[in-house]
């Protein structure tokens, strides 16, 4: 029976972990909220015109959606630790479906904004719970590779979602986008209900969210991995916030050209995740993080030097060097996330939720900061300086916060210890 509660037996767990259906579920549950975010973006000017509101009000269908994503990760992760991954995920997706129906029948812009907020609040449960499920099913050293594999598959869908939204709006009108989002969320809910078993580990204690978070925050390793992952993600937010102003305002290029150049950075992130999947079986999680950090600092330093020299006032230099940073960023983010959620596997949902909340919450501020640097400067130097500073801060968390030598009690080490103990008796 697919809905069995509790931890799957060993053989069943291995079958689930190697199943292509499980990989597909992880991609779908992770992607349903962010894809729904990007799909509506091309229709924002039409929304403003239709409802007779300023574009800044229409923009709230995106900004409050991002707030919903941040809050969802803080709420759904701990709930999944306490009540199980499956019921919390289904409840979240169910909320997304109901909110989707509400968005379809919204008659005013405030109604649509409210519906979009609850869409995000429910749909983002898949983003946080997917990481917890990965930690439930896979050993620590494989978690980073699995996160990278899911992200790599998700990147393809995210790249085409704005194009899909634009084509739907042009052909059938903006409400067609909402119909598709609602249908996709309903299909995802049915798929998860039929195919996803409960993966949460059985807990010996009944720790609350406060208790789980308190234990995590007293761990130097968790705090270090958490800060490393969150800071690495801020490089993306900073560049995304300042990039449009630099390309359009400073360089005098079109917004369409900016979109094409920005796709290069997304492709770099995609390649980085594929490389991470390839190298993970032969290298430890820490080595992959250090490799990513070294490449990230090197790429951001190269971009900074190009700013001093003035050569990256051309898009090819600016985005070409940023691609190096993004390839490195994929290594850092996936493997530091794996390290954070592996400190206390029984509280993987709480760890994942805290990480996602900080990433999105701080990201909204850093994005605004990046926009300020790009829009109030005549060169790329302020933005590239900020990105280099974030890269250095990210590396410092691994140098000064994460303990250099820590014993990771893996399942293999436990089995080996039991064999040694039996041999001594």
């Amino acid at each position: 029976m697919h809905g069995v509660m509790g931890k799957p037996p060993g053989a069943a767990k291995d079958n689930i972990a190697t199943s292509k259906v499980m990989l597909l579920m992880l991609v779908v549950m992770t992607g349903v909220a962010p894809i729904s975010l990007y799909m509506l973006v091309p229709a924002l000017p039409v929304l403003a015109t239709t409802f007779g509101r300023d574009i800044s009000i229409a923009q709230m269908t995106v900004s409050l959606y991002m707030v919903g994503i941040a809050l969802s990760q803080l709420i759904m992760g701990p709930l999944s630790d306490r009540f199980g991954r499956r019921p919390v995920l289904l409840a979240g997706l169910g909320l997304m479906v109901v909110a989707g129906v509400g968005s379809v029948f919204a008659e005013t812009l405030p109604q649509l904004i409210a519906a979009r907020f609850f869409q995000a609040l429910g749909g983002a449960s898949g983003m946080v719970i997917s990481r917890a499920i990965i930690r439930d099913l896979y050993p620590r050293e494989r978690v980073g590779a699995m996160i990278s594999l899911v992200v790599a598959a998700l990147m393809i869908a995210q790249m085409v979602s704005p194009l899909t939204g634009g084509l739907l709006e042009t052909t059938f009108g903006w409400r067609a986008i909402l119909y598709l989002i609602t249908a996709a969320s309903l299909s995802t809910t049915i798929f998860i209900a039929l195919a996803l078993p409960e993966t949460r580990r059985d807990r010996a204690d009944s720790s609350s969210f406060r208790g789980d978070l308190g234990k995590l925050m007293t761990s130097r390793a968790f705090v270090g991995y958490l800060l490393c992952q969150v800071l690495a993600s801020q490089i993306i937010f900073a560049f995304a916030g300042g990039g449009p102003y630099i390309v359009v305002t400073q360089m005098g290029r079109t917004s369409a050209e900016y979109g094409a150049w920005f796709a290069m950075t997304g492709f770099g992130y995609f390649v980085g995740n594929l490389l991470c999947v390839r190298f993970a079986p032969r290298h430890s999680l820490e080595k992959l993080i250090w490799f990513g950090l070294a490449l990230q600092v090197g790429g951001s330093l190269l971009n900074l030097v190009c700013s001093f020299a003035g050569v990256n006032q051309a898009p090819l230099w600016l985005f070409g060097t940023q691609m190096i940073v993004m390839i490195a960023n994929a290594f850092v983010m996936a493997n530091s996330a794996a390290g954070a959620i592996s400190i206390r596997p029984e509280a993987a949902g709480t760890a994942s939720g805290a990480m996602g909340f900080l990433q999105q919450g701080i990201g909204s501020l850093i994005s605004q900061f990046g926009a300020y640097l790009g829009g109030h400067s005549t060169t790329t130097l302020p933005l590239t300086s900020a990105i280099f500073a974030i890269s250095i801060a990210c590396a410092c968390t691994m140098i000064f916060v994460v303990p250099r030598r820590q014993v990771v009690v893996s399942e293999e080490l436990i089995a080996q210890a039991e064999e040694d103990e039996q041999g001594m008796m």
Side-chain angles (χ1 to χ4, degrees):
M1 182 177 178
H2 289 298
V4 175
M5 301 299 290
K7 181 180 176 181
K13 180 181 176 182
D14 292 338
N15 290 335
I16 294 168
T18 57
S19 169
K20 292 182 180 179
V21 174
M22 174 55 73
L23 177 60
L24 178 60
M25 279 192 291
L26 289 170
V27 172
V28 170
M29 73 175 73
T30 303
V32 66
I35 288 173
S36 301
L37 167 64
Y38 297 121
M39 194 172 287
L40 191 64
V41 169
L44 292 182
V46 178
L47 286 178
T49 303
T50 301
F51 290 105
R53 296 296 188 98
D54 186 78
I55 188 66
S56 61
I57 304 298
Q59 180 68 26
M60 292 180 69
T61 60
V62 172
S63 56
L64 280 184
Y65 192 99
M66 295 180 68
V67 172
I69 288 178
L71 290 177
S72 177
Q73 305 210 40
L74 195 62
I75 296 169
M76 300 299 184
L79 287 177
S80 74
D81 284 339
R82 186 170 183 83
F83 299 107
R85 316 297 185 210
R86 177 183 160 87
V88 175
L89 180 58
L90 288 175
L93 292 174
L95 175 61
M96 187 180 189
V97 173
V98 173
V101 174
S103 70
V104 167
F105 293 101
E107 296 182 355
T108 66
L109 192 54
Q111 289 176 358
L112 179 59
I113 292 170
R116 290 280 290 172
F117 171 79
F118 285 106
Q119 262 188 331
L121 193 65
S125 60
M127 297 173 66
V128 60
I129 294 175
S130 64
R131 290 190 293 260
I133 290 175
I134 288 173
R135 185 60 189 94
D136 292 340
L137 295 178
Y138 302 96
R140 179 179 184 269
E141 296 301 326
R142 286 194 60 198
V143 171
M146 288 305 303
I147 291 176
S148 292
L149 189 59
V150 170
V151 169
L154 177 61
M155 285 292 295
I156 299 173
Q158 285 190 195
M159 281 189 227
V160 301
S161 57
L163 175 61
T164 303
L167 291 174
L168 281 173
E169 190 280 319
T170 302
T171 307
F172 302 105
W174 61 270
R175 287 193 187 270
I177 301 174
L178 302 177
Y179 278 110
L180 180 59
I181 291 173
T182 304
S185 58
L186 177 60
S187 300
T188 301
T189 305
I190 294 172
F191 182 31
I192 297 299
L194 294 177
L196 181 69
E198 178 56 63
T199 64
R200 185 191 59 164
R201 297 164 180 258
D202 294 327
R203 302 193 60 166
D205 60 1
S206 57
S207 297
S208 62
F209 166 67
R210 183 182 300 177
D212 282 336
L213 188 60
K215 291 175 183 177
L216 287 170
M217 295 308 295
T218 56
S219 166
R220 278 185 58 195
F222 172 75
V223 173
Y225 286 129
L226 174 72
L227 290 175
C228 187
Q229 201 274 348
V230 171
L231 285 170
S233 68
Q234 302 315 303
I235 293 174
I236 301 175
F237 286 108
F239 191 79
Y245 297 95
I246 288 175
V247 174
V248 177
T249 305
Q250 293 183 25
M251 300 179 181
R253 308 301 177 97
T254 65
S255 57
E257 186 174 350
Y258 163 74
W261 284 112
F262 188 75
M264 284 182 59
T265 63
F267 180 72
Y269 189 68
F270 173 74
V271 170
N273 278 288
L274 291 182
L275 291 174
C276 186
V277 173
R278 183 174 181 82
F279 294 143
R282 297 190 296 273
H283 301 280
S284 69
L285 183 148
E286 285 77 14
K287 285 183 178 179
L288 293 174
I289 295 176
W290 281 115
F291 170 77
L293 288 171
L295 191 60
Q296 186 171 270
V297 171
S300 58
L301 177 60
L302 178 61
N303 219 348
L304 182 61
V305 171
C306 289
S307 291
F308 275 111
V311 296
N312 65 358
Q313 284 298 125
L316 179 61
W317 283 95
L318 178 65
F319 287 90
T321 49
Q322 186 65 21
M323 274 190 71
I324 300 174
V325 178
M326 294 305 297
I327 291 172
N329 197 262
F331 277 86
V332 178
M333 287 185 63
N335 289 286
S336 56
I341 63 177
S342 297
I343 300 300
R344 282 176 54 84
E346 68 275 16
T350 300
S352 177
M355 185 166 53
F357 174 76
L358 289 175
Q359 180 180 317
Q360 294 289 330
I362 298 175
S364 62
L365 300 177
I366 294 296
S367 179
Q368 289 293 113
F369 180 60
Y372 176 83
L373 294 178
H376 292 77
S377 330
T378 56
T379 70
T380 61
L381 183 59
L383 182 63
T384 55
S385 297
I387 290 175
F388 178 68
I390 296 172
S391 298
I392 293 296
C394 188
C396 286
T397 61
M398 284 295 292
I399 296 172
F400 299 112
V401 183
V402 177
R404 288 294 186 91
R405 294 182 181 181
Q406 58 176 342
V407 177
V408 179
V409 183
S410 64
E411 295 174 359
E412 291 79 5
L413 287 177
I414 294 173
Q416 182 179 350
E418 289 176 347
E419 290 176 1
D420 293 341
E421 185 181 28
Q422 291 174 359
M424 295 173 62
M425 294 178 63

